[in-house]
């Protein structure tokens, strides 16, 4: 129970829900960017767009971990 930080989890939950919506948008952008980069591999901006979308998909987990780490037990 050394890493027990339920308060950080509860405070970060609304922000994680907002970032969950952003991650869904990021998943859609990632699918579109992947399809475009397969169709036209010379389009380097699609690869950057897909990388940005992947960071949006990972956002909810990063926000929850950040809030949990901020608040001590």
């Amino acid at each position: 129970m050394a890493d027990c930080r339920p308060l950080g989890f509860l405070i970060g939950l609304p922000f994680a829900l907002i970032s969950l919506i952003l991650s869904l948008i990021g998943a859609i952008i990632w699918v579109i960017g992947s399809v475009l980069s397969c169709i036209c591999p010379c389009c380097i901006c699609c690869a950057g767009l897909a990388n940005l979308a992947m960071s949006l998909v990972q956002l909810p987990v990063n926000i929850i971990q950040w809030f949990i780490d901020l608040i001590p037990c």
Side-chain angles (χ1 to χ4, degrees):
M1 293 299 279
D3 290 330
C4 167
R5 296 185 178 130
L7 187 60
F9 178 77
L10 290 176
I11 291 174
L13 199 57
F15 298 105
L17 291 175
I18 292 170
S19 63
L20 181 66
I21 294 169
L22 287 176
S23 72
L24 292 174
I25 293 170
I28 293 169
I29 292 172
W30 178 73
V31 168
I32 292 170
S34 296
V35 169
L36 286 178
S37 66
C38 288
I39 292 172
C40 180
C42 62
C43 212
I44 194 69
C45 63
C46 292
L49 188 65
N51 288 335
L52 175 71
M54 283 309 295
S55 65
L56 281 176
V57 169
Q58 296 170 351
L59 194 61
V61 174
N62 293 338
I63 287 179
I64 285 291
Q65 287 176 348
W66 181 68
F67 269 102
I68 289 174
D69 288 341
L70 281 179
I71 298 175
C73 209

